[in-house]
Amino acid sequence: MSPSQPINHLSIADAGKALRAGQITARQLTEDALDQVAALDPSVNAFVLVTVARALKDAERADADFANGIDRGPMQGIPYALKDIYATARIRTTCHSNLLRDAIPSTDSAVAERLANSGGVLIGKVGTFEFAIGGPSFDLPFPPARNPWNLDHFTGGSSSGSAAAVAAGMVRIAMGSDTGGSIRAPAGYCGVVGLKPTYGRVSRRGVFPLSYSLDHCGPLAWSVEDTALAMQVIAGYDPFDAASADVPVPNFTAKMRHELIGLRIGYTRNFYIENSFCTPDAAKALDAAAQQLASLGAVVEEVAMPPFEQFDACKNTILFAEAYAIHESDLKTRPYAYGRKAYQTLVSGAVLSAADLVQAQRLRRELTTFLNQNVLRAYDALLAPNMLRTAAPFSSFGPDDGGGGGVLTGPFNVTGNPALALPIGFVADGLPLSAQIVGRPFDEPTVLQIGAAYEAAAGFTGRRPILKRQKPLECSLPL
């Protein structure tokens, strides 16, 4: 730990080294994180609940374990936040909705349980689009999170609070969920790293569902290494999640120091080159990222993919049909309790037929087979666009539509492949741009290897937004 390095700038890896060397304590890390939240969150609106008492208790337990020679892994003593669709025992879990405003689960979600058992420090719950869909909205119990790079712009969603909290430096890591891009889009808009693991790699038990066959759980973090360290804790088979994959958990950092020489990376340029949302800045940054990977020794070649529109139509049909099935009873009996945007989005699933869903699932199988048996048989990974423009201002969102668009994340929810979002540059007004590295099923180590090599060479991950600190809120934060 450098004497000149602020404690809140330490990565998970560096904080872990300092904790184990006795240079800092989990209590110090936690108090610093709580101070950051108190000073910055009144402007950012990332948190819907700050669990002060729980955080301090977790920190004391982590410090006691260190003192007794007990090492629970890379998250021990590290503050983190959970998207407010992750059930937390005896702690309010609202899904950012009036329907669950006072809901208090009796048990933890699988991820919350794993993080607690690993010695992590829960700082609180962060905001989301209502039920992970339909935002940003201003008619909900909590305001939408704001983009730390420009508070007049939105964060993307639905893991909006997770991305904002990490980008602002309130926590190093926050958990999100991804059904059509809800980890990767906000990670991209907020200039942080986000990983959608392979479908089934991380248990979704205890996470409020949006689409049973598309939902993924994963982390948002400052860096690829921090992402990998969090994955080491949260990944693993869960017999109580029907979609959980019974496969070995690899060492997610094992390849991260390896060179890219010999790797073959397909560049899905056709996904965006004719897309009307694509800005010149995004196109230039994506091409530069491809060139950077080639300069690191990888063979980078353009690869033909099925039209993005096929993936998008497939994803939307499955998502809206399954989301409507989940919410059907409440949509019929308590429609007034939903926010306008979530209601309008969810109710659209009512017009879909069984035939629509069957055809979408058939197309899904064809697209997944093409990607894995054709494209990824010839290439180790793909470089793909994440979003084709920077975050829109809140002023561009009307009550029934928005200023979003140009997010190209959905294809890899359809196929279930691991996909890593990472920054690839900034435009003139300071807002970030992002790309995805996509890998073969359960080959997150190669995805992380490529992401870490690019990150080290490009240097964008080290940039942080500058936010005005406000007077700390003392102990007025909810417990």
Side-chain angles (χ1 to χ4, degrees), residues 259-477:
E259 296 180 339
L260 303 188
I261 295 171
L263 288 183
R264 294 176 55 81
I265 300 174
Y267 181 19
T268 64
R269 202 167 189 267
N270 71 302
F271 261 11
Y272 75 88
I273 199 64
E274 296 180 358
N275 191 301
S276 61
F277 284 103
C278 188
T279 63
D281 284 330
K284 182 178 179 181
L286 285 161
D287 284 344
Q291 293 166 9
Q292 180 77 74
L293 291 171
S295 75
L296 294 170
V299 175
V300 182
E301 298 173 339
E302 287 191 38
V303 60
M305 291 280 285
F308 170 77
E309 290 74 18
Q310 287 188 20
F311 286 99
D312 201 42
C314 179
K315 180 263 294 181
N316 286 338
T317 302
I318 296 169
L319 192 162
F320 293 148
E322 293 186 355
Y324 180 75
I326 291 164
H327 287 270
E328 182 180 18
S329 177
D330 283 329
L331 288 169
K332 289 180 175 178
T333 60
R334 296 194 291 170
Y336 52 84
Y338 288 90
R340 182 184 181 98
K341 288 190 175 180
Y343 175 81
Q344 289 179 333
T345 306
L346 290 167
V347 79
S348 66
V351 304
L352 294 170
S353 67
D356 293 328
L357 185 57
V358 168
Q359 294 286 21
Q361 293 288 12
R362 179 189 59 80
L363 177 59
R364 179 184 197 174
R365 193 174 304 112
E366 292 177 358
L367 293 169
T368 303
T369 299
F370 180 86
L371 176 63
N372 289 321
Q373 298 302 316
N374 290 34
V375 179
L376 288 173
R377 182 167 286 180
Y379 295 96
D380 298 287
L382 302 178
L383 170 66
N386 189 14
M387 7 74 88
L388 298 178
R389 54 176 57 189
T390 56
F394 282 106
S395 60
S396 68
F397 291 86
D400 301 315
D401 57 10
V407 176
L408 286 92
T409 49
F412 309 112
N413 292 88
V414 170
T415 67
N417 293 67
L420 178 76
L422 71 169
I424 59 169
F426 293 80
V427 299
D429 64 4
L431 290 171
L433 293 165
S434 178
Q436 299 179 81
I437 305 296
V438 182
R440 296 166 178 156
F442 301 104
D443 192 15
E444 288 89 355
T446 298
V447 170
L448 294 163
Q449 172 193 2
I450 296 169
Y454 172 82
E455 177 183 74
F460 296 122
T461 301
R463 292 181 61 170
R464 299 278 181 268
I466 299 174
L467 287 163
K468 182 179 179 182
R469 291 175 60 86
Q470 300 191 22
K471 183 179 179 181
L473 299 181
E474 297 178 354
C475 293
S476 61
L477 296 167

Side-chain angles (χ1 to χ4, degrees), residues 184-220:
R184 291 159 291 152
Y189 283 134
C190 292
V192 299
V193 175
L195 176 65
K196 181 194 78 64
T198 307
Y199 184 78
R201 172 68 87 183
V202 177
S203 175
R204 306 166 309 170
R205 174 170 52 89
V207 178
F208 198 98
L210 176 58
S211 170
Y212 294 116
S213 67
L214 295 173
D215 288 347
H216 301 63
C217 294
L220 296 90

